[in-house]
Amino acid sequence: MKRKTFCVLEQGNRVGEELTRKKREFFSTEFSDFYRLNWGGKDDPDAFLSCEGLTWSEGRSLLYKEVPKNYDYYIFCDDDIVLETNDGVSVAECIRDLLVTYRPVAATFLDPLSWAFSWAEPSNLAELKLRRAFPIAGFDLQVHIFSREFAEAMFPVIYHGSGRTMWYAQWVCSELYPLKQHCYTEVTATNTRHELHSDFERPQFSEDQKVVWLFNRNVKPGQLGVPIKPEIIIRMNAERCTQSVSKETVAFSKEELEKVYDSNNKDYQNRIAVVDAKYLERIRSLDIYWKISITRLQLLGVHYRSRLRGFFSRLIRL
């Protein structure tokens, strides 16, 4: 079967959303498809899958696991994201043209209000919008595009949760192919609700800083690993976007991954889309090491110093 150019994979817990139906209409074409997961387990006529009790990263992992593997690209997005073109042309045709022209390993669409562009002044954004594409080090997970080969290596997610759970994928691409992780400006992404995924109380959930620390334990010697703070990524974005993207075709492989990350570790080897008892046992044992890790103690130190400064500032004002 001939592969289509891309599919859009959406997840959310509402039913009957107009945004979802518009996406289905926009992306059901001869070269693209649309799939949805309802993580509330609800009877959702627009959903390809419905499954309750998932974390955000399990939702994306399960979608990738279950959809057909006959696409060149997989575009993941949340259900509150609006994708639009600047000049009113078909958003599906515009995306196809961008992917076929630039052949990214990974990519996203411009959201000027995202934290990833907090470094940019209005004049910087105006200059970026004049370019069809520019390289980017990291970005909001609300829209994340994977080439077929890259998705095979990155899914299922290694450590489940929501915030930062796929920063490792952005870091891998940025380290190995810094000019093949793109941001496209002819399609914009707008977050319409800014709602948090309500998964933090689930037993399989790992907090954002913890998932970064867990991944970084297995980066190769000499590698700094995924930045624990978004400010580092923001600074990298300001520098990276001054360069030009590469249009070279790259077929990502696990052999490439080995250059920066030891994929022979048991956490990577035992990745699972939806957690089971073995995963829970493993993550609970790792939680002990996280709680006594230097990284966590340093973060706690910064937190408490900040609170003390605030306390003494209030005392002085009194």
Side-chain angles (χ1 to χ4, degrees):
M1 179 186 296
K2 183 179 179 181
R3 289 198 301 269
K4 292 189 176 185
T5 306
F6 69 91
C7 64
V8 173
L9 308 178
E10 174 194 273
Q11 65 171 329
N13 73 329
R14 299 190 180 192
V15 176
E17 285 288 283
E18 185 63 22
L19 277 180
T20 293
R21 290 175 179 169
K22 284 184 177 180
K23 285 179 193 158
R24 179 179 296 283
E25 177 185 348
F26 291 162
F27 299 118
S28 297
T29 75
E30 62 182 10
F31 55 83
S32 63
D33 286 314
F34 174 84
Y35 300 95
R36 170 177 168 79
L37 178 144
N38 190 307
W39 50 261
K42 299 173 182 176
D43 183 11
D44 184 348
D46 295 311
F48 171 71
L49 294 169
S50 186
C51 186
E52 63 181 337
L54 301 178
T55 59
W56 179 90
S57 61
E58 286 176 289
R60 288 205 172 176
S61 296
L62 184 59
L63 267 171
Y64 176 74
K65 176 184 177 183
E66 296 297 333
V67 299
K69 301 302 183 290
N70 60 332
Y71 302 97
D72 292 327
Y73 290 92
Y74 297 83
I75 303 177
F76 292 86
C77 70
D78 298 330
D79 69 345
D80 56 358
I81 299 300
V82 174
L83 300 176
E84 299 175 300
T85 58
N86 300 325
D87 53 9
V89 301
S90 163
V91 65
E93 291 181 4
C94 186
I95 291 173
R96 176 179 62 171
D97 182 57
L98 288 166
L99 296 177
V100 170
T101 300
Y102 291 101
R103 291 293 176 188
V105 172
T108 192
F109 301 124
L110 179 65
D111 177 0
L113 300 180
S114 162
W115 61 267
F117 298 99
S118 59
W119 62 271
E121 298 293 335
S123 58
N124 301 127
L125 289 171
E127 291 177 6
L128 290 176
K129 290 176 182 179
L130 294 175
R131 302 162 62 186
R132 294 190 78 194
F134 56 87
I136 188 168
F139 46 87
D140 197 297
L141 294 171
Q142 63 188 13
V143 177
H144 200 169
I145 305 171
F146 293 79
S147 68
R148 180 171 57 88
E149 298 89 354
F150 193 49
E152 289 175 0
M154 295 295 106
F155 284 99
V157 171
I158 308 171
Y159 306 105
H160 287 294
S162 52
R164 308 186 191 182
T165 47
M166 295 216 74
W167 275 18
Y168 72 89
Q170 297 177 7
W171 176 80
V172 167
C173 187
S174 182
E175 285 294 306
L176 292 172
Y177 299 105
L179 303 182
K180 295 298 293 180
Q181 184 159 259
H182 302 165
C183 181
Y184 300 124
T185 64
E186 291 182 354
V187 176
T188 57
T190 303
N191 190 320
T192 61
R193 291 201 298 265
H194 296 280
E195 293 179 348
L196 295 176
H197 195 292
S198 55
D199 57 2
F200 57 89
E201 293 183 346
R202 291 171 185 153
Q204 70 269 39
F205 177 88
S206 291
E207 61 184 282
D208 51 8
Q209 295 166 339
K210 177 182 173 182
V211 296
V212 172
W213 176 80
L214 287 170
F215 176 83
N216 285 344
R217 294 173 309 132
N218 293 300
V219 301
K220 288 296 183 73
Q223 295 290 333
L224 296 177
V226 181
I228 201 79
K229 297 181 180 180
E231 291 81 7
I232 298 173
I233 299 174
I234 292 166
R235 289 197 298 270
M236 293 171 65
N237 283 343
E239 298 170 359
R240 185 71 52 82
C241 75
T242 62
Q243 303 177 59
S244 298
V245 299
S246 168
K247 295 183 180 180
E248 177 187 1
T249 299
V250 171
F252 190 89
S253 67
K254 288 187 179 178
E255 287 73 23
E256 289 294 292
L257 177 61
E258 279 295 319
K259 294 178 180 179
V260 295
Y261 178 75
D262 179 11
S263 63
N264 292 313
N265 72 81
K266 66 179 182 180
D267 294 340
Y268 182 86
Q269 292 295 323
N270 292 301
R271 291 169 298 153
I272 188 168
V274 177
V275 304
D276 57 11
K278 289 182 179 179
Y279 176 91
L280 287 174
E281 181 181 356
R282 189 168 71 248
I283 205 68
R284 284 167 181 159
S285 65
L286 290 171
D287 190 55
I288 298 171
Y289 296 103
W290 160 243
K291 288 179 178 177
I292 61 173
S293 70
I294 294 174
T295 299
R296 182 172 182 270
L297 294 175
Q298 288 173 335
L299 290 168
L300 285 173
V302 171
H303 172 72
Y304 286 116
R305 283 197 299 271
S306 177
R307 293 192 65 177
L308 280 173
R309 283 196 296 268
F311 173 74
F312 286 119
S313 294
R314 288 191 295 273
L315 279 180
I316 292 171
R317 287 197 296 271
L318 293 174

